[in-house]
Amino acid sequence: MNKPTPRRDCPSLARPMRTGDGLMLRLTPIAPMPAAAWAELADVAEGLGNGLIDLTLRGAVQVRGLRDETVAAAQARLLEVGFVESRPVLATDPLGPDDPHAMGDSHALAARLADLLTTQPLPPGLPPKVTVALDAAGRLDQLTADLRLRWVGVDRLWLIVGDRVVDESRADSGPALVRDYLERMARAGCRGVDFHSSIALPLSVTPAQARVQNAKHLAPRNWTPACAGVTVEGGGAVATEAHFVSAPLPLGPITPDIHLLVPAFGALTCAQLQELLATPGLTALRPAAGRRLAVWGSQGAGCFPPFLATDDADPRLAVSACPGAPSCGSALRPTRALATALAEGNYGVLHLSGCGKGCGAPGDGTAQAIATADGWDLQGDDVSRLAAGLAAMGERRNDAL
Ligand code: SF4
């Protein structure tokens, strides 16, 4: 087994992270995975972990509560059914070629990039947590990424670092272009935003120099995600305005065969995952940004289990909570029953943490209650509604003692 990764690093399939409830593996599929693979993941979570499965804000799935003596078996079984190590993280738009706005196949291109990074490994030095977003439909503009490969036409891609377009290519050349920039990041030992200031420097590698010369015609050009109204051409085809709009997908049916759902708290028990997999017609799943699940198969909207939100207006979407007690050994209080009650009482957007580690806390000023031995510490830009909710539930707020 690989040594557990420190908390400042990024967990992955090959790099378990030690958390308050044991070891955790994070998987980032680049395309839908068949139902059989998810059934195996549920079995792994149940038999080798503590049965808890998280979906993350950045579109990964986490298996929690593994132990030193079980994690290697879990890794082997997940690899066997097709989950792969992803470093750097490759984030793809959720639906790939099935997206009605797709201008290309980001899933296939991500697979080619992953293959290229396997056959031509990067030199050491790439910082942890580097993410490459591959987006053929304008679904990932809200996701922070070090490099962004964004389709702007059929067979026309922009490479974006930070907020600047630095290069462009046809789809076939995209993986090599991204790998080249990743190699330069690795040699510089810095991430996308820091790398930004050095990208115009001359390079020692001739093909890369050629690309930078090319990039001078493009950069500096500020990247503005909301590009409605821009019409771009590529490969002889024309992408329409509608194609180029930055548009996160809504919950619910996207096509007759694809639904986007969110489990309460962005988390599933293995039993809940098994119940979802038993939905008639379900063929494949993938996690998506915002703790979502994209579900393939010809289901009707009403056939999903009730623990899944199928509508952006669902009040449960306002609250999030870590597993808390008794699921997590570090937790000082239960969290999710209280979070459910706060959602039902409409006490605003909030997060509950079972201890000060703050696993999964949004970190963006959202009102947060952190369990302590005596009550709850409150943090956030505006905690008034959360404080009112805790008072209504008979919970103690520490600074109000
Ligand atoms: S924040 Fe929650 S999940 Fe994380 S260690 Fe604390 S109690 Fe456990």
Side-chain angles (χ1 to χ4, degrees):
M1 185 195 86
N2 306 75
K3 272 176 57 179
T5 190
R7 287 189 69 85
R8 66 180 177 281
D9 201 348
C10 224
S12 63
L13 177 55
R15 298 174 185 233
M17 175 178 276
R18 201 172 294 283
T19 68
D21 58 347
L23 294 167
M24 179 261 282
L25 296 176
R26 181 178 295 165
L27 316 170
T28 312
I30 57 177
M33 301 283 292
W38 290 95
E40 180 70 352
L41 185 145
D43 281 352
V44 164
E46 183 174 33
L48 304 177
N50 62 6
L52 298 179
I53 299 158
D54 289 340
L55 301 171
T56 75
L57 286 169
R58 295 179 62 76
V61 59
Q62 299 179 160
V63 180
R64 303 190 68 96
L66 298 158
R67 302 181 296 282
D68 288 322
E69 64 274 21
T70 64
V71 69
Q75 290 168 313
R77 286 175 59 180
L78 293 168
L79 267 172
E80 178 71 24
V81 294
F83 290 99
V84 296
E85 173 66 356
S86 178
R87 183 164 291 239
V89 174
L90 305 182
T92 55
D93 56 77
L95 308 187
D98 293 331
D99 192 306
H101 285 180
M103 288 183 276
D105 188 343
S106 61
H107 294 180
L109 210 69
R112 284 185 48 210
L113 175 58
D115 287 346
L116 184 64
L117 294 172
T118 301
T119 55
Q120 297 178 33
L122 295 170
L126 194 71
K129 301 190 178 185
V130 166
T131 298
V132 180
L134 298 98
D135 186 1
R139 307 305 188 188
L140 298 181
D141 289 334
Q142 315 306 320
L143 187 83
T144 307
D146 298 271
L147 291 180
R148 187 179 302 278
L149 203 55
R150 176 73 146 85
W151 274 250
V152 292
V154 176
D155 202 23
R156 183 183 178 198
L157 282 61
W158 280 354
L159 182 69
I160 298 159
V161 180
D163 63 353
R164 289 189 178 182
V165 179
V166 298
D167 214 330
E168 72 172 25
S169 76
R170 300 177 68 108
D172 264 1
S173 310
L177 180 64
V178 171
R179 193 204 166 282
D180 177 63
Y181 272 79
L182 286 170
E183 178 169 341
R184 293 158 66 189
M185 275 188 191
R187 295 197 188 285
C190 58
R191 297 189 63 186
V193 174
D194 304 322
F195 183 65
H196 190 278
S197 59
S198 65
I199 53 178
L201 296 177
L203 300 172
S204 57
V205 185
T206 304
Q209 277 180 320
R211 264 195 285 280
V212 166
Q213 289 304 318
N214 182 33
K216 283 178 180 171
H217 299 296
L218 300 166
R221 175 161 49 179
N222 290 336
W223 162 245
T224 307
C227 289
V230 176
T231 300
V232 292
E233 296 184 8
V238 176
T240 66
E241 294 176 10
H243 282 135
F244 203 50
V245 173
S246 171
L249 288 163
L251 289 187
I254 307 300
T255 73
D257 290 341
I258 302 174
H259 288 71
L260 207 57
L261 315 167
V262 180
F265 310 119
L268 296 161
T269 63
C270 54
Q272 287 174 325
L273 178 54
Q274 286 157 346
E275 186 179 349
L276 171 61
L277 292 171
T279 305
L282 187 150
T283 58
L285 297 176
R286 74 159 296 179
R291 307 186 198 277
R292 297 174 170 208
L293 271 177
V295 179
W296 275 257
S298 53
Q299 310 89 355
C303 69
F304 294 110
F307 56 82
L308 293 162
T310 58
D311 185 326
D312 285 302
D314 192 310
R316 292 174 294 180
L317 300 180
V319 303
S320 57
C322 80
S327 302
C328 176
S330 298
L332 297 166
R333 292 173 182 276
T335 52
R336 288 188 169 164
L338 177 58
T340 300
L342 291 168
E344 289 168 353
N346 192 22
Y347 288 103
V349 179
L350 58 92
H351 179 85
L352 299 186
S353 290
C355 78
K357 289 178 185 153
C359 305
D364 59 357
T366 295
Q368 183 185 179
I370 301 161
T372 69
D374 299 321
W376 297 92
D377 284 341
L378 302 195
Q379 289 181 358
D381 294 340
D382 179 357
V383 299
S384 56
R385 292 179 72 186
L386 173 56
L390 291 176
M393 305 296 161
E395 296 286 331
R396 292 203 293 180
R397 175 182 169 183
N398 286 334
D399 59 5
L401 290 174

